[in-house]
Amino acid sequence: MRRRSNSGVRLGYYQRIVSKTILQHQDPVTGLVPSSPGIDHAWVRDNVYCVLSMWGLALAYKKNADLDEDRAKTYELEQSCVKLMRGLLMAMMRQKDKVEKFKETLQTTDRKSVV
């Protein structure tokens, strides 16, 4: 069995953090990460940060992929990231009518429905 390099150990550490904080809470249907466990509401900002962290870690794994296990982790992170980006796009497309209505009326009641 090969010994892992120092960078491989650090990547494993970061992968465990991402797995515990993001992948474990990612919705299996929409791909979105909720704002809190048990709540079905998700913030766009938080999900964009999740995309960035997963994609960055996937790129680091891809650069240092020594073992098949590393390639598998790269694939898992990339696919989770794509699922989350698709979920964000779908959520934004579903709210376009609310945004357009707010742009026309500029009423606070319409703004509340957008947020």
Side-chain angles (χ1 to χ4, degrees):
M1 176 149 216
R2 266 181 63 174
R3 214 177 141 160
R4 293 190 63 108
S5 64
N6 189 29
S7 60
V9 172
R10 284 192 316 214
L11 286 175
Y13 169 74
Y14 291 129
Q15 201 277 336
R16 283 189 298 279
I17 290 174
V18 166
S19 179
K20 277 196 260 183
T21 57
I22 298 172
L23 296 176
Q24 182 179 8
H25 301 291
Q26 189 175 19
D27 187 81
V29 176
T30 63
L32 298 174
V33 179
S35 58
S36 298
I39 297 177
D40 62 346
H41 184 75
W43 291 97
V44 173
R45 178 198 61 213
D46 296 343
N47 281 277
V48 169
Y49 290 149
C50 291
V51 164
L52 292 173
S53 63
M54 287 190 296
W55 191 253
L57 187 59
L59 289 178
Y61 262 114
K62 188 179 279 190
K63 182 179 178 185
N64 295 323
D66 295 338
L67 308 171
D68 286 339
E69 179 183 338
D70 293 341
R71 290 186 190 99
K73 288 179 184 177
T74 301
Y75 183 77
E76 177 190 8
L77 287 166
E78 287 174 344
Q79 293 306 308
S80 296
C81 186
V82 168
K83 185 172 185 95
L84 180 51
M85 287 189 287
R86 285 182 180 156
L88 278 172
L89 180 62
M90 293 303 295
M92 289 179 189
M93 288 171 55
R94 280 188 296 240
Q95 291 188 357
K96 72 178 173 82
D97 295 332
K98 294 178 185 177
V99 173
E100 292 300 323
K101 184 177 179 184
F102 173 70
K103 283 171 33 180
E104 289 175 8
T105 63
L106 296 177
Q107 296 294 320
T108 57
T109 55
D110 295 332
R111 186 186 80 210
K112 289 179 183 176
S113 67
V114 173
V115 178

